[in-house]
Amino acid sequence: MREVHHFVAGAGSKGLGRKFADVFNPNTGEVAARVNLAGKAEVAAVVEDAHRAFQGWSNTPAPRRAQVMFAFRDLLRKNMDELAALLAAEHGKVLLDAKGELTRGLEVVEFACGIPQLLKGEYSEDVASGMDVFSLRQPLGVVAGITPFNFPAMVPMWMFPVAVACGNTFVLKPSEKDPSVPIRLAQMMIEAGAPPGVLNVVNGDKEAVDTLLTHPLVRAISFVGSTDIARHVYSTATAHGKRVQAMGGAKNHMIVMPDADLDQAADALMGAGYGSAGERCMAISVAVPVGAKTAEALRARLIPRVQALRVGLSTSTDADFGPLVTRQHLDKVRGYVDIGVAEGAELVVDGRDIKMQGYENGFFMGGCLFDRVTPEMRIYQEEIFGPVLSMVRAEDFETALRLPSEHAFGNGVAIFTRDGDTARDFTRRVDVGMVGVNVPIPVPVAFHSFGGWKASAFGDMNQYGPEGVRFFTKLKTVTARWPTGIRSGADFFIPTLK
Ligand code: NAD
């Protein structure tokens, strides 16, 4: 059986190899590999190793660090097919989607290539006689990333390219459900010229995570995963004096106004609701048609589209989406559909029981569509994270605006309309962190920053982009007086401009 271990100090490491978890092939349902889960002492050793590497790396000039990122970018492009195949095989998303994920990660690497420019500080000349002030951003030390199963390449690449380019050394604890791609990324960083210890990957479960959250040498934690764990990560790591950004779950709404192009809106809902089997934190899981006429017209367009969804193997080149990640997750998603039916929502398309011929034990599920979902229902309040779209009918714009604004989650939201006034009013007033106007999945490009609000994110700074640079650096401000010959005598009061 294939085993996945750790990547530490520039090489593969088996650690103590005491605990393992199964990694599945979601197409067949079979165990494809087992992943080594590090214990407390093993994680601590990795952190200490990263700490030793910090001295040299943080003193490497930023343009040289950028060269490593340029070389890493070239390797990513060169190895895209191999990485996509590995990713799809463990996650279950189809190859084209896996390549899309890698491309979004690569864009952050390209952003990190500009690190000398991004780290430029500010300078104020002659703030007092002979006195200048300048500011600079310095790396924090060892920083850690803890990432979810649904983007095993992109989410780690939201974090480590920026962190490492800033001069930190990085310990990545990826999801134990699809751990192979992160190991390959770390190998490629070495190939790109990163010194050993700059990027480490340690596989593990709660024990490994909790060690990172409490270890005194870890200066910052970047987490992406479900809300309950994000809350735990935020409270534990901040209590241990660390800087923390912890992104959680989501329930993203798409408002469809009566003036919207309904075919365009329906197509957008298909990709955003069912792409990657709905296992995306920015998936649209709630469609909100405004007005009864819009609801009927949208429903009429959605039903045939959902029925026509092509579910296939992750290796397929013509499937819309593949299997879910594990049997456990499939059961959970199916369970939510059962709950929705019991709660009185109208299940207009039921994809619970599709079977793939020859792959009867795979974790497949077809698209499901609910209509007449209401805010009291659990299927509205909780994140399902599967190919299930709920329609919540709103009688007017104000009701539609209130739904995402009053929801516990606040990751993404979209509005489809042809009316600029409505779009502007919506974007200004909606209580959600990332907003799309006629764009269903408004994941910001790499030179902006990603982050939701409310129960979708804890901490103050967003992922990647300029916020990522701020998160992974600390500001130092220097006040200097030249020439030293200027004397004003002892001053016992707080200095003011003279
Ligand atoms: P998860 O919370 O189960 O796992 C995330 C990470 O936390 C993994 O590395 C896992 O090993 C670790 N972990 C799990 N249980 C833990 C525990 N009890 N204590 C400490 N660590 C623990 O999430 P997942 O199922 O892998 O990913 C899906 C979730 O991630 C969804 O809720 C999705 O919305 C969310 N997500 C959010 C964003 C975002 O940016 N907001 C992006 C992607 C995914």
Side-chain angles (χ1 to χ4, degrees):
M1 163 100 35
R2 187 167 71 87
E3 287 188 350
V4 184
H5 298 284
H6 317 297
F7 192 88
V8 183
S13 160
K14 289 194 168 185
L16 299 174
R18 287 206 184 116
K19 267 198 298 185
F20 288 86
D22 290 336
V23 179
F24 293 93
N25 174 344
N27 294 317
T28 62
E30 286 159 4
V31 176
R34 52 181 213 150
V35 57
N36 193 338
L37 304 178
K40 195 170 174 186
E42 292 162 282
V43 176
V46 179
V47 170
E48 279 145 33
D49 201 81
H51 181 64
R52 277 189 290 279
F54 177 68
Q55 182 70 10
W57 183 242
S58 57
N59 283 307
T60 301
R64 169 76 197 110
R65 297 198 302 256
Q67 281 168 5
V68 172
M69 299 320 297
F70 275 110
F72 179 60
R73 172 203 183 256
D74 291 346
L75 286 169
L76 272 176
R77 289 172 69 103
K78 196 172 123 198
N79 295 298
M80 182 73 85
D81 288 343
E82 175 224 324
L83 288 167
L86 192 57
L87 197 162
E90 287 184 353
H91 176 283
K93 66 178 69 176
V94 293
L95 282 171
L96 261 180
D97 198 30
K99 276 192 192 166
E101 156 170 6
L102 285 157
T103 303
R104 291 305 296 253
L106 185 137
E107 287 167 8
V108 180
V109 176
E110 289 173 342
F111 170 77
C113 288
I115 203 68
Q117 170 73 13
L118 293 163
L119 287 179
K120 267 175 27 186
E122 293 181 320
Y123 192 95
S124 300
E125 186 191 25
D126 234 18
V127 296
S129 302
M131 186 183 282
D132 306 322
V133 175
F134 63 96
S135 62
L136 46 138
R137 302 208 69 97
Q138 295 187 324
L140 305 175
V142 180
V143 297
I146 300 152
T147 54
F149 81 82
N150 66 319
F151 286 112
M154 182 185 80
V155 171
M157 284 195 278
W158 282 359
M159 303 170 181
F160 78 75
V162 179
V164 161
C166 286
N168 301 284
T169 53
F170 199 91
V171 179
L172 172 65
K173 205 305 285 172
S175 170
E176 60 277 36
K177 293 182 183 129
D178 41 16
S180 295
V181 170
I183 298 276
R184 279 294 290 128
L185 297 178
Q187 286 167 345
M188 282 162 45
M189 277 289 285
I190 292 287
E191 229 184 295
V198 166
L199 174 61
N200 308 277
V201 180
V202 63
N203 282 301
D205 55 14
K206 180 173 168 56
E207 184 179 350
V209 172
D210 287 347
T211 308
L212 291 170
L213 303 184
T214 54
H215 197 293
L217 287 177
V218 175
R219 303 286 185 227
I221 297 281
S222 182
F223 172 89
V224 175
S226 56
T227 286
D228 285 350
I229 314 296
R231 231 185 237 118
H232 162 72
V233 165
Y234 183 74
S235 57
T236 310
T238 50
H240 284 80
K242 299 179 199 325
R243 187 178 286 193
V244 186
Q245 52 179 196
M247 275 58 193
K251 197 82 182 174
N252 307 311
H253 297 56
M254 185 169 124
I255 315 302
V256 182
M257 294 301 293
D259 68 348
D261 176 332
L262 290 184
D263 285 312
Q264 186 197 16
D267 286 341
L269 280 168
M270 298 310 296
Y274 299 96
S276 197
E279 293 171 321
R280 289 182 183 143
C281 65
M282 288 290 276
I284 296 285
S285 48
V286 182
V288 185
V290 174
K293 246 176 92 182
T294 315
E296 288 308 324
L298 187 66
R299 176 183 160 128
R301 283 167 173 77
L302 285 176
I303 291 173
R305 283 172 167 84
V306 179
Q307 284 166 337
L309 280 168
R310 295 164 305 174
V311 184
L313 300 182
S314 64
T315 47
S316 159
T317 47
D318 58 8
D320 297 318
F321 63 88
L324 298 183
V325 68
T326 57
R327 159 86 41 207
Q328 196 189 11
H329 189 58
L330 172 67
D331 291 345
K332 180 179 148 191
V333 175
R334 272 210 199 116
Y336 268 116
V337 181
D338 299 342
I339 290 170
V341 172
E343 285 177 317
E346 183 189 351
L347 183 59
V348 269
V349 183
D350 183 358
R352 275 175 292 187
D353 288 321
I354 65 147
K355 283 272 173 264
M356 292 286 291
Q357 213 181 352
Y359 294 88
E360 284 77 11
N361 293 321
F363 310 139
F364 295 96
M365 178 173 165
C368 294
L369 178 67
F370 276 114
D371 193 3
R372 302 186 190 280
V373 173
T374 57
E376 308 73 50
M377 294 181 182
R378 275 185 65 194
I379 58 161
Y380 176 73
Q381 290 167 2
E382 297 172 22
E383 184 183 46
I384 299 176
F385 222 55
V388 183
L389 180 66
S390 297
M391 273 179 49
V392 178
R393 296 169 173 233
E395 60 197 20
D396 53 24
F397 171 73
E398 288 298 328
T399 315
L401 172 68
R402 266 201 309 276
L403 284 165
S405 296
E406 291 177 1
H407 202 285
F409 293 117
N411 218 34
V413 70
I415 184 165
F416 272 60
T417 179
R418 288 186 169 107
D419 185 82
D421 281 351
T422 308
R424 186 168 188 275
D425 192 27
F426 183 79
T427 54
R428 282 174 64 80
R429 287 164 64 203
V430 71
D431 193 12
V432 172
M434 290 173 282
V435 185
V437 177
N438 299 317
V439 171
I441 308 187
V443 174
V445 291
F447 41 97
H448 285 258
S449 299
F450 179 105
W453 288 359
K454 299 183 282 185
S456 295
F458 306 93
D460 301 314
M461 280 178 267
N462 288 357
Q463 297 277 349
Y464 64 80
E467 291 264 300
V469 174
R470 278 192 282 277
F471 182 77
F472 287 118
T473 54
K474 53 193 174 188
L475 180 70
K476 182 177 277 180
T477 308
V478 180
T479 303
R481 169 160 275 160
W482 300 101
T484 51
I486 296 177
R487 289 186 198 286
S488 55
D491 191 344
F492 295 95
F493 310 110
I494 188 157
T496 54
L497 286 181
K498 288 189 182 116

